[in-house]
């Protein structure tokens, strides 16, 4: 009798263990299936351009971050962030380690030859910042013999070189950090600094650089968009999402939240 009870207990225990194992297997399969089916958008950034895109408490935030997060969500993707020096982002894009770049990237002829861009999500007007007490730099001609600072490897650097075809002024490049670069103007190490007007305005205000102002500009307008490699299928999804977010007013709301203006239109 005792042996029968023991045998019965062993049989019940075995059934429970088998069922638990099967349940665990099925659960594991479901979890793996969800992870495998999850659509991910790998986004690279230098995260050094507040309020456009920067890091706070180890999280990437800002205007560009909100834009790509909203577009990805609309298209059914989860964003996976990668931060790196600006100069290295294109290498990561070319190698496929990231799908796109969120870093206030201007659409240029050279870049269009290599990448496919989404529809623009911001219009950028470039300006020259000078010391607040400098009333002598009001045009390109006034830059003759002067030193002008600009971010290394940026579209602004290319624009500035085009403006300086006759080498009338000296171009000094910096690793992209608008606050540090505008402080170079404040300290008198450069006579002017060239960058997007919204970036310049917001940086002057945030860093409280009262001795720096916009001398003149915008000298030109550019489109800001997200680049993808030409064989990427994700660019169409993100472009479509951006168009829908423009139409429903979401992009305008994000712009006014971070920039105080509707930068989705030329101001």
């Amino acid at each position: 009798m005792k042996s029968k009870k023991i045998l019965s207990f062993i049989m019940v225990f075995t059934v429970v263990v088998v069922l638990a194992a099967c349940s665990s297997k099925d659960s594991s399969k479901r979890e793996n299936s969800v992870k495998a089916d999850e659509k991910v958008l790998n986004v690279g950034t230098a995260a050094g351009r507040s309020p456009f895109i920067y890091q706070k408490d180890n999280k990437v935030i800002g205007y560009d971050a909100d834009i790509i997060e909203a577009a990805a969500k609309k298209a059914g993707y989860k964003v996976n962030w990668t931060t790196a020096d600006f100069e290295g982002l294109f290498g990561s894009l070319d190698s496929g380690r990231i799908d796109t770049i969120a870093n206030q990237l201007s659409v240029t002829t050279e870049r269009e030859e290599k990448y496919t861009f989404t529809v623009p999500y911001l219009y950028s007007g470039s300006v020259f910042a000078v010391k607040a007490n400098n009333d002598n730099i009001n045009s390109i001609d006034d830059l003759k013999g002067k030193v002008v600072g600009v971010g290394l490897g940026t579209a602004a650097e290319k624009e500035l070189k085009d403006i300086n075809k006759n080498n009338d002024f000296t171009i000094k490049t910096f690793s992209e950090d608008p606050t540090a670069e505008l402080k170079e103007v404040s300290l008198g190490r450069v006579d002017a600094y060239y960058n997007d007007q919204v970036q310049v305005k917001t940086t002057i205000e945030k860093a409280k650089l009262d001795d720096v102002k916009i001398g003149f500009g915008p000298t030109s307008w550019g489109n800001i968009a997200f680049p993808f490699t030409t064989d990427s299928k994700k660019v169409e999804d993100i472009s479509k999402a951006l168009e829908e977010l423009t139409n429903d007013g979401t992009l305008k709301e994000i712009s006014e939240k971070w920039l105080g203006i509707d930068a989705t239109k030329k101001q």
Side-chain angles (χ1 to χ4, degrees):
M1 187 73 177
K2 190 175 181 181
S3 61
K4 284 185 178 181
K5 284 184 178 180
I6 293 172
L7 182 60
S8 176
F9 173 79
I10 292 172
M11 290 177 65
V12 170
F13 179 80
T14 303
V15 170
V16 169
V17 170
V18 170
L19 288 174
C22 290
S23 175
S24 177
K25 268 187 182 179
D26 290 342
S27 175
S28 176
K29 283 180 181 178
R30 285 196 296 272
E31 286 177 6
N32 290 337
S33 176
V34 170
K35 290 178 181 177
D37 292 343
E38 188 174 51
K39 295 197 298 182
V40 176
L41 186 70
N42 295 301
V43 183
T45 182
R49 297 195 67 175
S50 172
F52 294 103
I53 192 154
Y54 60 106
Q55 283 185 296
K56 185 176 181 180
D57 299 327
N58 294 319
K59 183 180 179 182
V60 178
I61 62 172
Y63 174 76
D64 287 43
D66 275 8
I67 294 289
I68 194 64
E69 290 272 7
K73 183 177 180 181
K74 189 82 171 176
Y77 291 89
K78 177 184 177 182
V79 172
N80 179 47
W81 288 100
T82 295
T83 57
D85 291 338
F86 180 77
E87 295 84 354
L89 290 175
F90 291 97
S92 294
L93 182 60
D94 295 341
S95 66
R97 291 195 295 275
I98 59 175
D99 296 308
T100 190
I101 298 171
N103 211 86
Q104 278 293 288
L105 210 67
S106 297
V107 180
T108 65
T109 302
E110 291 79 8
R111 287 171 179 169
E112 282 187 303
E113 290 175 357
K114 192 171 184 179
Y115 305 107
T116 301
F117 282 85
T118 62
V119 294
Y121 62 91
L122 181 143
Y123 292 98
S124 166
S126 299
V127 298
F128 288 88
V130 299
K131 291 198 78 167
N133 61 1
N134 188 334
D135 297 321
N136 299 317
I137 297 180
N138 303 297
S139 68
I140 299 295
D141 291 338
D142 296 333
L143 294 173
K144 286 183 179 180
K146 304 292 194 262
V147 178
V148 182
V150 70
L152 177 66
T154 62
E157 181 189 6
K158 173 64 170 60
E159 290 173 10
L160 196 59
K161 286 179 178 179
D162 289 341
I163 292 171
N164 195 31
K165 287 178 181 178
N166 297 322
N167 297 312
D168 292 326
F169 54 86
T170 300
I171 296 175
K172 186 175 181 180
T173 57
F174 302 92
S175 291
E176 195 184 30
D177 182 346
T179 301
E181 290 160 10
L182 280 166
K183 283 182 179 177
E184 293 290 300
V185 176
S186 177
L187 294 169
R189 292 173 182 162
V190 296
D191 299 294
Y193 168 65
Y194 188 67
N195 205 339
D196 169 71
Q197 68 167 336
V198 177
Q199 179 71 77
V200 171
K201 279 184 179 179
T202 53
T203 303
I204 288 174
E205 291 171 6
K206 189 170 183 179
K208 297 181 179 179
L209 298 173
D210 298 329
D211 56 349
V212 179
K213 69 177 182 180
I214 292 177
F216 67 97
T219 56
S220 63
W221 287 91
N223 297 337
I224 305 297
F226 300 111
F228 288 76
T229 54
T230 54
D231 61 346
S232 176
K233 308 300 184 208
K234 297 179 180 180
V235 63
E236 293 180 7
D237 293 340
I238 300 303
S239 269
K240 182 182 177 184
L242 287 171
E243 288 175 341
E244 292 175 359
L245 293 170
T246 297
N247 293 334
D248 68 17
T250 300
L251 294 197
K252 179 182 176 182
E253 289 177 8
I254 293 173
S255 180
E256 290 175 342
K257 167 189 170 183
W258 287 102
L259 311 178
I261 62 170
D262 181 9
T264 62
K265 297 177 181 178
K266 294 180 180 180
Q267 301 292 323

